[in-house]
Amino acid sequence: MTAGTKKPKLAIWKFASCDGCQLSLLDCEDELLEMAGAVDIAYFPEASRVVRKGPYDISLVEGSITTPHDAERIQKVRKNSHYLVAMGACATAGGIQSLRNYANVHEYALTVYDQPHFIKTLEKATPLSVHVKVDYELYGCPVNKHQLVEVLTAYLHGRQPAPSPHSVCIECKARGLNCVVTSQAIPCLGPATHGGCGAICPSYSRGCYGCFGPKDSANPSALCKWWGNQGVQEVQMARAFGGINAYIEAFRKEKVSREH
Protein backbone atom coordinates (compact mmCIF):
# COMPACT_ATOMS: atom_id res chain seq x y z
CA MET A 1 0.00 0.00 0.00
CA THR A 2 1.56 3.29 -1.10
CA ALA A 3 1.70 6.43 1.02
CA GLY A 4 -1.53 8.34 0.91
CA THR A 5 -3.58 5.34 -0.19
CA LYS A 6 -6.81 5.07 1.73
CA LYS A 7 -7.09 1.92 3.82
CA PRO A 8 -10.00 -0.45 3.07
CA LYS A 9 -12.70 -0.24 5.72
CA LEU A 10 -13.42 -3.53 7.49
CA ALA A 11 -16.59 -4.29 9.47
CA ILE A 12 -17.45 -7.39 11.50
CA TRP A 13 -21.12 -8.12 12.16
CA LYS A 14 -22.94 -10.57 14.44
CA PHE A 15 -26.32 -12.22 13.96
CA ALA A 16 -27.62 -15.42 15.67
CA SER A 17 -24.41 -17.13 16.78
CA CYS A 18 -22.09 -17.85 19.70
CA ASP A 19 -19.34 -15.31 18.78
CA GLY A 20 -16.86 -18.16 18.19
CA CYS A 21 -15.91 -17.00 14.70
CA GLN A 22 -15.25 -13.46 15.90
CA LEU A 23 -13.07 -14.91 18.64
CA SER A 24 -11.15 -16.79 15.94
CA LEU A 25 -10.37 -13.43 14.38
CA LEU A 26 -9.18 -12.06 17.74
CA ASP A 27 -7.12 -15.24 18.16
CA CYS A 28 -5.09 -14.26 15.09
CA GLU A 29 -3.09 -11.96 17.42
CA ASP A 30 0.12 -11.21 15.48
CA GLU A 31 -1.62 -11.52 12.12
CA LEU A 32 -4.39 -9.19 13.29
CA LEU A 33 -1.85 -6.59 14.40
CA GLU A 34 -0.22 -6.68 10.98
CA MET A 35 -3.59 -6.49 9.29
CA ALA A 36 -4.58 -3.51 11.41
CA GLY A 37 -1.89 -1.61 9.56
CA ALA A 38 -3.40 -2.54 6.19
CA VAL A 39 -7.11 -2.00 6.92
CA ASP A 40 -9.26 0.40 8.88
CA ILE A 41 -11.20 -1.72 11.38
CA ALA A 42 -14.23 0.53 11.30
CA TYR A 43 -16.81 -1.61 13.11
CA PHE A 44 -16.03 -4.52 15.46
CA PRO A 45 -18.11 -4.35 18.70
CA GLU A 46 -16.47 -7.54 20.00
CA ALA A 47 -13.10 -5.76 20.18
CA SER A 48 -13.61 -1.99 20.05
CA ARG A 49 -16.02 0.80 20.90
CA VAL A 50 -14.99 2.66 17.76
CA VAL A 51 -17.80 2.91 15.22
CA ARG A 52 -17.13 4.47 11.84
CA LYS A 53 -19.98 4.82 9.40
CA GLY A 54 -20.03 2.91 6.12
CA PRO A 55 -19.97 2.13 3.37
CA TYR A 56 -17.50 -0.65 4.12
CA ASP A 57 -15.08 -2.23 1.68
CA ILE A 58 -15.35 -5.67 3.29
CA SER A 59 -17.80 -7.07 5.84
CA LEU A 60 -17.30 -10.30 7.75
CA VAL A 61 -20.68 -11.57 8.95
CA GLU A 62 -21.15 -14.20 11.65
CA GLY A 63 -24.50 -15.83 12.44
CA SER A 64 -27.72 -17.06 10.87
CA ILE A 65 -30.91 -15.11 10.18
CA THR A 66 -33.59 -16.11 12.68
CA THR A 67 -35.80 -13.06 13.29
CA PRO A 68 -37.67 -10.51 11.15
CA HIS A 69 -35.43 -7.78 12.56
CA ASP A 70 -32.29 -9.60 11.45
CA ALA A 71 -33.78 -10.24 8.03
CA GLU A 72 -34.07 -6.47 7.64
CA ARG A 73 -30.67 -5.77 9.18
CA ILE A 74 -28.75 -8.08 6.84
CA GLN A 75 -30.22 -6.17 3.90
CA LYS A 76 -28.76 -2.96 5.32
CA VAL A 77 -25.38 -4.63 5.88
CA ARG A 78 -25.36 -5.90 2.30
CA LYS A 79 -26.29 -2.48 0.92
CA ASN A 80 -23.48 -0.91 2.92
CA SER A 81 -20.79 -3.48 1.99
CA HIS A 82 -18.77 -3.78 -1.20
CA TYR A 83 -17.58 -7.33 -0.41
CA LEU A 84 -19.49 -9.56 2.03
CA VAL A 85 -18.09 -12.75 3.56
CA ALA A 86 -20.36 -15.26 5.34
CA MET A 87 -18.15 -16.39 8.21
CA GLY A 88 -18.75 -19.76 9.86
CA ALA A 89 -21.35 -22.53 9.93
CA CYS A 90 -24.20 -20.29 11.16
CA ALA A 91 -23.71 -17.76 8.36
CA THR A 92 -23.10 -20.35 5.63
CA ALA A 93 -25.58 -23.07 6.62
CA GLY A 94 -27.83 -21.85 9.44
CA GLY A 95 -25.70 -23.48 12.12
CA ILE A 96 -27.06 -25.26 15.18
CA GLN A 97 -30.08 -22.93 15.10
CA SER A 98 -31.24 -24.56 11.86
CA LEU A 99 -31.98 -27.82 13.70
CA ARG A 100 -35.34 -26.27 14.56
CA ASN A 101 -36.14 -26.19 10.83
CA TYR A 102 -37.07 -29.86 11.10
CA ALA A 103 -39.72 -29.16 13.74
CA ASN A 104 -42.39 -26.60 14.61
CA VAL A 105 -40.64 -23.57 16.09
CA HIS A 106 -43.85 -22.35 17.73
CA GLU A 107 -44.17 -25.62 19.65
CA TYR A 108 -40.62 -25.10 20.88
CA ALA A 109 -41.51 -21.59 22.03
CA LEU A 110 -44.52 -22.89 23.96
CA THR A 111 -42.31 -25.44 25.69
CA VAL A 112 -39.40 -23.16 26.53
CA TYR A 113 -40.89 -19.74 27.26
CA ASP A 114 -43.42 -18.77 29.89
CA GLN A 115 -44.80 -16.01 27.64
CA PRO A 116 -44.14 -17.20 24.07
CA HIS A 117 -46.25 -14.40 22.56
CA PHE A 118 -43.26 -12.11 23.10
CA ILE A 119 -41.10 -14.27 20.83
CA LYS A 120 -40.86 -12.98 17.27
CA THR A 121 -38.98 -15.45 15.12
CA LEU A 122 -38.94 -16.63 11.53
CA GLU A 123 -40.25 -20.08 10.65
CA LYS A 124 -36.73 -21.17 9.77
CA ALA A 125 -33.17 -20.23 10.72
CA THR A 126 -31.32 -19.71 7.45
CA PRO A 127 -27.87 -18.82 6.10
CA LEU A 128 -27.12 -15.34 4.78
CA SER A 129 -27.30 -16.47 1.16
CA VAL A 130 -31.06 -17.04 1.47
CA HIS A 131 -31.49 -13.31 2.07
CA VAL A 132 -28.64 -11.48 0.29
CA LYS A 133 -25.85 -11.94 -2.22
CA VAL A 134 -22.77 -13.39 -0.52
CA ASP A 135 -19.40 -12.85 -2.18
CA TYR A 136 -17.56 -15.61 -0.32
CA GLU A 137 -18.46 -18.35 2.17
CA LEU A 138 -15.89 -19.37 4.78
CA TYR A 139 -16.88 -22.61 6.52
CA GLY A 140 -16.12 -23.77 10.03
CA CYS A 141 -17.45 -23.91 13.58
CA PRO A 142 -15.55 -21.86 14.40
CA VAL A 143 -13.64 -20.81 11.30
CA ASN A 144 -9.97 -21.67 10.98
CA LYS A 145 -8.02 -18.50 11.78
CA HIS A 146 -5.45 -19.18 9.06
CA GLN A 147 -8.20 -19.59 6.45
CA LEU A 148 -9.75 -16.36 7.71
CA VAL A 149 -6.46 -14.50 7.31
CA GLU A 150 -6.17 -15.97 3.80
CA VAL A 151 -9.58 -14.53 2.85
CA LEU A 152 -8.64 -11.05 4.10
CA THR A 153 -5.20 -11.21 2.49
CA ALA A 154 -6.74 -12.29 -0.81
CA TYR A 155 -9.09 -9.31 -0.74
CA LEU A 156 -6.25 -6.89 -0.03
CA HIS A 157 -4.30 -8.27 -3.00
CA GLY A 158 -7.26 -8.37 -5.37
CA ARG A 159 -7.38 -12.15 -5.85
CA GLN A 160 -9.70 -15.02 -5.02
CA PRO A 161 -9.15 -16.80 -1.68
CA ALA A 162 -7.42 -20.16 -2.02
CA PRO A 163 -8.10 -22.24 1.09
CA SER A 164 -6.71 -25.76 1.19
CA PRO A 165 -9.04 -28.12 -0.75
CA HIS A 166 -8.29 -31.27 1.26
CA SER A 167 -10.72 -33.11 3.51
CA VAL A 168 -10.63 -33.79 7.24
CA CYS A 169 -9.83 -37.40 6.29
CA ILE A 170 -6.49 -36.20 4.86
CA GLU A 171 -5.75 -34.29 8.06
CA CYS A 172 -6.53 -37.44 10.03
CA LYS A 173 -4.08 -39.50 7.98
CA ALA A 174 -1.42 -36.78 8.29
CA ARG A 175 -1.64 -37.16 12.08
CA GLY A 176 -1.27 -40.92 11.85
CA LEU A 177 -4.64 -41.60 13.49
CA ASN A 178 -6.56 -44.86 13.22
CA CYS A 179 -9.78 -44.61 11.21
CA VAL A 180 -12.69 -44.60 13.66
CA VAL A 181 -15.01 -46.05 11.01
CA THR A 182 -12.97 -49.14 10.19
CA SER A 183 -11.73 -49.72 13.76
CA GLN A 184 -14.85 -48.87 15.78
CA ALA A 185 -17.76 -48.60 13.32
CA ILE A 186 -18.26 -44.95 14.32
CA PRO A 187 -19.81 -42.78 11.58
CA CYS A 188 -17.32 -40.09 10.57
CA LEU A 189 -17.92 -37.27 8.08
CA GLY A 190 -14.20 -36.75 7.55
CA PRO A 191 -14.08 -37.98 3.91
CA ALA A 192 -16.89 -35.59 2.90
CA THR A 193 -15.95 -32.53 4.96
CA HIS A 194 -13.65 -29.57 4.23
CA GLY A 195 -10.42 -29.68 6.20
CA GLY A 196 -9.52 -26.94 8.64
CA CYS A 197 -9.84 -28.35 12.16
CA GLY A 198 -6.78 -30.62 12.10
CA ALA A 199 -8.95 -33.71 12.70
CA ILE A 200 -9.70 -32.79 16.31
CA CYS A 201 -12.58 -35.21 16.85
CA PRO A 202 -10.94 -38.34 15.37
CA SER A 203 -7.92 -37.63 17.58
CA TYR A 204 -10.28 -38.28 20.53
CA SER A 205 -11.81 -41.41 18.93
CA ARG A 206 -14.91 -39.51 17.81
CA GLY A 207 -16.27 -39.25 14.31
CA CYS A 208 -16.01 -35.93 12.44
CA TYR A 209 -19.17 -33.82 12.91
CA GLY A 210 -18.77 -31.96 9.62
CA CYS A 211 -18.10 -28.56 11.20
CA PHE A 212 -16.39 -27.22 8.06
CA GLY A 213 -19.23 -28.18 5.71
CA PRO A 214 -19.30 -30.57 2.76
CA LYS A 215 -16.48 -30.57 0.23
CA ASP A 216 -17.39 -29.58 -3.32
CA SER A 217 -16.87 -33.20 -4.39
CA ALA A 218 -18.61 -34.73 -1.37
CA ASN A 219 -20.65 -37.87 -2.02
CA PRO A 220 -22.74 -38.49 1.12
CA SER A 221 -24.64 -41.42 -0.40
CA ALA A 222 -21.42 -43.29 -1.18
CA LEU A 223 -20.13 -42.47 2.29
CA CYS A 224 -23.27 -43.98 3.84
CA LYS A 225 -22.87 -47.12 1.75
CA TRP A 226 -19.33 -47.51 3.09
CA TRP A 227 -20.55 -46.88 6.63
CA GLY A 228 -23.18 -49.58 6.19
CA ASN A 229 -20.51 -52.06 5.12
CA GLN A 230 -18.69 -51.26 8.37
CA GLY A 231 -21.77 -51.92 10.51
CA VAL A 232 -23.08 -48.36 10.98
CA GLN A 233 -26.88 -48.27 11.45
CA GLU A 234 -29.31 -46.06 9.49
CA VAL A 235 -30.32 -44.09 12.58
CA GLN A 236 -26.65 -43.31 13.22
CA MET A 237 -26.26 -42.10 9.63
CA ALA A 238 -29.21 -39.72 9.90
CA ARG A 239 -27.91 -38.38 13.20
CA ALA A 240 -24.42 -37.83 11.76
CA PHE A 241 -25.78 -35.57 9.03
CA GLY A 242 -28.04 -33.73 11.48
CA GLY A 243 -25.43 -31.62 13.21
CA ILE A 244 -23.99 -28.13 12.89
CA ASN A 245 -24.30 -28.03 9.09
CA ALA A 246 -27.54 -30.02 8.91
CA TYR A 247 -29.35 -27.46 6.75
CA ILE A 248 -26.71 -27.24 4.03
CA GLU A 249 -28.04 -28.99 0.92
CA ALA A 250 -25.72 -32.01 0.65
CA PHE A 251 -26.10 -32.95 4.32
CA ARG A 252 -29.80 -32.06 4.57
CA LYS A 253 -30.70 -34.30 1.64
CA GLU A 254 -28.90 -37.28 3.16
CA LYS A 255 -30.33 -36.71 6.63
CA VAL A 256 -33.91 -36.58 5.35
CA SER A 257 -33.48 -39.64 3.11
CA ARG A 258 -32.14 -41.69 6.03
CA GLU A 259 -35.05 -40.74 8.28
CA HIS A 260 -37.73 -42.05 5.90
Side-chain angles (χ1 to χ4, degrees), residues 3-260:
T5 301
K6 187 177 181 181
K7 294 180 182 179
K9 293 175 73 173
L10 171 67
I12 297 92
W13 308 87
K14 171 185 165 58
F15 286 78
S17 62
C18 71
D19 286 33
C21 291
Q22 294 183 74
L23 291 176
S24 290
L25 179 57
L26 291 174
D27 193 37
C28 290
E29 298 176 339
D30 293 340
E31 296 93 337
L32 186 59
L33 288 174
E34 291 181 10
M35 201 166 296
V39 299
D40 173 14
I41 302 178
Y43 181 79
F44 191 5
E46 187 87 7
S48 174
R49 296 179 182 177
V50 174
V51 176
R52 297 188 182 89
K53 293 183 178 180
Y56 304 99
D57 294 285
I58 179 169
S59 281
L60 304 177
V61 186
E62 176 190 65
S64 62
I65 307 303
T66 62
T67 68
H69 174 259
D70 280 352
E72 293 179 5
R73 191 161 67 97
I74 190 59
Q75 295 292 339
K76 295 177 181 178
V77 171
R78 173 70 271 188
K79 185 177 180 180
N80 226 10
S81 306
H82 171 68
Y83 190 78
L84 189 149
V85 176
M87 181 173 63
C90 295
T92 59
I96 201 72
Q97 301 85 259
S98 66
L99 292 180
R100 67 177 173 87
N101 297 353
Y102 298 98
N104 187 315
V105 67
H106 300 295
E107 290 182 0
Y108 278 153
L110 287 171
T111 302
V112 175
Y113 297 100
D114 182 53
Q115 296 179 311
H117 55 279
F118 286 115
I119 305 301
K120 292 181 174 59
T121 185
L122 298 173
E123 290 292 330
K124 293 182 177 181
T126 49
L128 305 185
S129 59
V130 170
H131 302 268
V132 297
K133 177 181 179 292
V134 172
D135 296 298
Y136 190 78
E137 292 185 320
L138 183 62
Y139 299 101
C141 186
V143 294
N144 178 297
K145 70 176 186 177
H146 302 295
Q147 293 181 0
L148 179 55
V149 170
E150 160 61 18
V151 170
L152 293 173
T153 302
Y155 176 81
L156 292 174
H157 289 85
R159 62 173 174 80
Q160 283 295 311
S164 178
H166 65 255
S167 67
V168 171
C169 201
I170 298 299
E171 295 180 333
C172 190
K173 296 298 175 286
R175 295 186 61 172
L177 302 174
N178 290 327
C179 177
V180 297
V181 181
T182 57
S183 64
Q184 302 177 59
I186 296 174
C188 176
L189 291 171
T193 300
H194 280 288
C197 65
I200 294 175
C201 291
S203 72
Y204 289 94
S205 296
R206 298 197 300 258
C208 168
Y209 290 98
C211 297
F212 278 72
K215 284 176 53 61
D216 295 336
S217 58
N219 190 337
S221 295
L223 180 59
C224 284
K225 183 177 180 180
W226 176 54
W227 285 350
N229 292 336
Q230 302 299 320
V232 177
Q233 303 299 310
E234 286 281 320
V235 65
Q236 292 176 286
M237 297 181 191
R239 190 174 299 149
F241 285 103
I244 294 163
N245 279 296
Y247 205 63
I248 204 166
E249 181 60 26
F251 288 177
R252 179 174 71 216
K253 181 178 179 181
E254 202 62 34
K255 169 182 164 59
V256 172
S257 69
R258 297 289 162 183
E259 290 179 330
H260 295 85

